[in-house]
């Protein structure tokens, strides 16, 4: 790959130091970032290049502690970095930046690792300084708005400066290896497609469980909550990848068109239905992984917040393929385990020939993290002479055992895709807005109800109402046993 320029607004922030620069280091070690590439960290304070490199060195040593593959390459990598002081609201620093980036033939990527309220003003500055030419790409992170209208306003502001093809909206879940593998699993195996529909699938579960709490993000998180933070983006993207029709190719728009159709097919959860189709929870003090942890309100230092740290809901994709198949989604902070998975449960056998012996339903479990892999649970005879007894057992594919080596982090793939100009794993404007259109009525109904989120103990699997949500339908949340 040719040398390129990457300019990180928010170059001293948590995202840059914890995710972006470690990811770039790995790509450098693998030879994808070549000499002559320039990485600029931009922020408001004054500091020298050397001080910035020192800060990045410390961050890499901390965050790559277990994954520092090539310590001898750290110094040459740091030499690609420079620091520039910039004022996003005023003129300071812009003229110099424009002069440094004058070579229009190089790919230049502006990474806006700053709050979405600044996207518009940064875009306008880039335009005013002639930094929006054809080889320019801009990367934005969530939250893209807090509802559909605010998302549209952000998209409009970006759209005034950049063509849609220049805008890369990150959903880092799409960069995860196991999420990319969903496409390979579904469309690289003729085996699954005939079964991947309402005739054969009883229901789908998507769980993204976290053990972490607020992580010093209180001011963002308390305004957001789990529905905006996780469901509007990551979980709906996962749902789209499970439910979408086969795209005709891997072309970015072929895939994004199919995902958009799924979002448009989601049955709205109207006002009256939120109380039985959604559950929101908030954690109280408890113990996670054997360690006592405070409750959400204590962490926040207030007792008035009604922000949800857990959501479970039952969605339906109203189309020919999925009519009548529930998609149960749940996500939360301070749960018992860090675990993300997608489970497809197949229908019962139409007639059992085994008398009283129970016949378990087949399940395909796609484990996104940790212990990445795929398990297909099938029914077998328990060996032995004593009659036909059955037990479900897994056909078990572990990524670590099968492929060995390290699993690249999502940002490694995503950053390089921006440089290559491949938007396949990024969200198009209409996807983001369609997702908000489905989320907005749920938020509005919660807002107008007097109910508070249901309490759950940190270290549990969420409020009992989430269990009731699925058990009412005669089903249970999947447990890996
Ligand atoms: C982020 C959310 O988008 O995803 C966080 O803002 C969440 O609240 C994180 O913790 C989870 O990502 P991962 O990769 O750790 O599953």
């Amino acid at each position: 790959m040719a040398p390129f320029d990457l300019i990180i607004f928010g170059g001293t922030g948590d995202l840059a130091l914890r995710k972006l620069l470690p990811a770039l280091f790995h790509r450098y070690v693998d030879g994808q970032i070549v000499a002559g590439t320039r990485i600029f960290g931009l922020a408001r304070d004054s500091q020298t290049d050397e001080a910035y490199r020192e800060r990045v060195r410390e961050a890499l040593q901390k965050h790559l502690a277990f994954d520092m593959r090539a310590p001898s390459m750290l110094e040459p990598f740091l030499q690609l970095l420079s620091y520039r002081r910039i004022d996003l609201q005023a003129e300071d620093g812009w003229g110099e930046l424009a002069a440094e980036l004058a070579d229009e033939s190089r790919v230049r990527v502006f990474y806006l690792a700053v709050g979405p309220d600044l996207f518009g003003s940064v875009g306008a500055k880039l335009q005013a300084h002639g930094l929006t030419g054809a080889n320019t790409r801009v990367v934005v992170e969530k939250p893209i708005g807090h509802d559909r209208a605010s998302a549209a306003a952000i998209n409009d502001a970006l759209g005034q400066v950049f063509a849609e093809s220049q805008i890369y909206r990150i959903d880092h879940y799409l960069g995860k290896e196991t999420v990319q593998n969903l496409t390979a699993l579904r469309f690289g195996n003729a085996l699954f497609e005939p079964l991947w529909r309402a005739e054969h699938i009883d229901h789908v579960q998507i769980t993204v469980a976290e053990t972490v709490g607020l992580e010093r993000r209180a001011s963002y998180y308390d305004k957001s909550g789990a529905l905006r933070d996780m469901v509007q983006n990551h979980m709906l993207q996962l749902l789209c990848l499970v439910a979408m029709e086969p795209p005709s190719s891997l072309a970015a728009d072929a895939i994004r068109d199919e995902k958009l159709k799924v979002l448009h097919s989601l049955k709205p959860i109207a006002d009256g239905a939120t109380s039985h189709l959604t559950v929101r929870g908030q954690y109280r003090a408890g113990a996670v992984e054997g360690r006592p942890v405070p409750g959400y309100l204590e962490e926040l230092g207030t007792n008035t917040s009604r922000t949800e740290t857990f959501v479970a809901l039952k969605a339906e994709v109203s189309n020919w393929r999925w009519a009548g198949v529930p998609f149960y989604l749940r996500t939360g902070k301070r749960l018992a385990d860090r675990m993300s998975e997608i489970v497809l449960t197949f229908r019962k056998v139409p007639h059992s020939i085994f008398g009283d012996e129970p016949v378990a339903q087949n399940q395909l479990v796609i484990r996104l993290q940790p212990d990445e892999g795929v398990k297909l649970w099938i029914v077998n005879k328990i060996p032995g002479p004593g009659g036909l007894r059955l037990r479900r057992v897994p056909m078990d594919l572990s990524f670590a055992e099968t492929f060995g080596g390290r699993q690249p982090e999502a940002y490694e793939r995503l950053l390089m895709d921006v440089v290559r100009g491949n938007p396949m794993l990024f969200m198009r404007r209409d996807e983001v807005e369609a997702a908000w259109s489905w989320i907005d009525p749920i938020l509005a109904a919660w807002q107008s109800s007097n109910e508070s989120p249901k309490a759950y103990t940190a270290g549990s699997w969420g409020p009992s109402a989430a269990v009731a949500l699925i058990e009412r339908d005669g089903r249970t949340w999947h447990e890996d046993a």
Side-chain angles (χ1 to χ4, degrees):
M1 204 178 320
F4 59 91
D5 292 335
L6 170 65
I7 303 95
I8 307 175
F9 290 91
T12 53
D14 194 53
L15 180 70
L17 296 177
R18 203 155 57 94
K19 295 283 186 193
L20 305 182
L21 290 159
L24 289 164
F25 176 65
H26 280 303
R27 293 302 89 225
Y28 178 72
V29 170
D30 285 341
Q32 282 183 331
I33 297 182
V34 296
T37 294
R38 300 185 298 174
I39 301 170
F40 296 92
L42 269 56
R44 229 181 342 205
D45 327 323
S46 298
Q47 63 178 306
T48 61
D49 289 345
E50 213 21 74
Y52 183 60
R53 289 182 192 132
E54 188 52 40
R55 193 153 169 193
V56 175
R57 178 185 294 116
E58 277 168 28
L60 292 186
Q61 277 162 347
K62 180 165 161 212
H63 298 300
L64 295 177
F66 301 109
D67 198 14
M68 177 61 87
R69 293 184 296 152
S72 64
M73 295 183 82
L74 188 52
E75 282 316 312
F77 171 72
L78 292 171
Q79 292 310 313
L80 305 179
L81 267 60
S82 327
Y83 179 82
R84 297 292 177 268
R85 197 181 87 80
I86 199 116
D87 190 329
L88 299 186
Q89 319 273 15
E91 270 310 302
D92 296 7
W94 288 95
E96 295 84 332
L97 184 69
E100 278 190 289
L101 300 176
D103 182 355
E104 293 266 347
S105 67
R106 287 167 73 94
V107 165
R108 57 163 111 89
V109 176
F110 292 107
Y111 201 115
L112 308 195
V114 292
D117 44 325
L118 294 168
F119 293 171
S121 53
V122 175
K125 290 272 194 243
L126 293 173
Q127 190 169 42
H129 289 90
L131 291 171
T132 56
N135 273 336
T136 305
R137 284 146 213 173
V138 62
V139 186
V140 291
E141 281 277 338
K142 65 178 260 282
I144 300 183
H146 52 88
D147 57 12
R148 185 188 159 107
S150 54
I154 290 170
N155 285 330
D156 282 345
L158 288 169
Q160 276 169 16
V161 178
F162 297 104
E164 178 64 24
S165 60
Q166 294 177 289
I167 304 172
Y168 290 73
R169 296 178 192 82
I170 286 218
D171 182 315
H172 79 280
Y173 266 60
L174 296 181
K176 288 182 188 270
E177 280 293 327
T178 41
V179 175
Q180 293 179 53
N181 188 49
L182 274 172
T183 307
L185 188 75
R186 283 198 59 194
F187 307 121
N189 294 288
L191 170 68
F192 293 120
E193 172 53 22
L195 304 177
W196 210 267
R197 58 191 64 246
E199 289 90 308
H200 300 288
I201 290 181
D202 176 75
H203 74 282
V204 178
Q205 296 182 17
I206 304 179
T207 296
V208 176
E210 298 188 272
T211 50
V212 293
L214 268 176
E215 292 186 296
R216 302 188 305 275
R217 298 160 78 218
S219 63
Y220 155 73
Y221 193 84
D222 196 51
K223 279 195 241 94
S224 167
L227 190 70
R228 289 186 174 103
D229 185 50
M230 296 295 288
V231 181
Q232 187 273 341
N233 37 75
H234 309 322
M235 299 202 66
L236 287 185
Q237 285 291 322
L238 294 177
L239 184 152
C240 285
L241 293 173
V242 172
M244 72 184 186
E245 293 301 314
S248 57
S249 73
L250 280 183
D253 279 339
I255 294 178
R256 300 194 290 185
D257 288 346
E258 294 306 335
K259 287 195 291 171
L260 184 66
K261 285 186 210 158
V262 175
L263 292 167
H264 285 155
S265 311
L266 281 172
K267 191 167 168 182
I269 298 188
D271 208 354
T274 39
S275 58
H276 67 276
L277 295 181
T278 72
V279 172
R280 55 191 167 134
Q282 194 185 68
Y283 62 83
R284 299 286 178 263
V288 175
E289 292 161 341
R291 205 168 41 87
V293 295
Y296 179 73
L297 298 178
E298 295 149 67
E299 248 183 275
L300 204 61
T302 163
N303 56 9
T304 53
S305 172
R306 285 175 40 178
T307 299
E308 79 287 355
T309 59
F310 175 98
V311 184
L313 58 83
K314 178 177 167 184
E316 199 179 319
V317 181
S318 296
N319 63 17
W320 196 292
R321 186 185 285 265
W322 294 112
V325 177
F327 283 71
Y328 299 98
L329 273 48
R330 67 176 168 163
T331 183
K333 302 246 179 236
R334 291 286 193 227
L335 295 181
D337 220 347
R338 174 171 181 262
M339 182 275 280
S340 303
E341 65 180 21
I342 299 170
V343 182
L344 290 97
T345 302
F346 290 84
R347 290 195 182 276
K348 293 187 177 129
V349 291
H351 165 71
S352 172
I353 61 169
F354 302 103
D356 292 341
E357 192 65 14
V359 187
Q361 287 163 264
N362 297 122
Q363 287 187 311
L364 180 67
V365 180
I366 302 161
R367 180 79 164 202
L368 305 180
Q369 61 191 27
D371 309 327
E372 292 81 356
V374 179
K375 269 186 199 171
L376 180 62
W377 288 88
I378 54 171
V379 169
N380 274 259
K381 177 183 180 301
I382 303 174
L388 226 170
R389 307 248 338 274
L390 304 177
R391 188 196 296 159
R392 65 183 216 123
V393 283
M395 290 169 68
D396 195 352
L397 167 91
S398 146
F399 280 18
E401 276 170 30
T402 309
F403 297 107
R406 64 180 286 277
Q407 295 261 340
E409 286 281 329
Y411 280 98
E412 296 180 41
R413 166 76 195 257
L414 296 175
L415 282 164
M416 289 298 105
D417 273 3
V418 180
V419 177
R420 286 186 206 103
N422 177 6
M424 182 175 85
L425 299 177
F426 296 82
M427 291 182 298
R428 208 168 54 190
R429 168 178 187 152
D430 47 10
E431 283 180 82
V432 175
E433 292 176 18
W436 278 120
S437 293
W438 189 72
I439 293 288
D440 277 358
I442 304 176
L443 287 168
W446 284 355
Q447 185 88 47
S448 63
S449 98
N450 285 326
E451 270 182 49
S452 294
K454 307 260 186 297
Y456 64 96
T457 308
S460 69
W461 281 104
S464 55
V467 177
L469 172 86
I470 192 164
E471 289 193 347
R472 249 195 332 255
D473 296 343
R475 304 182 174 105
T476 50
W477 290 110
H478 174 254
E479 276 177 43
D480 197 21

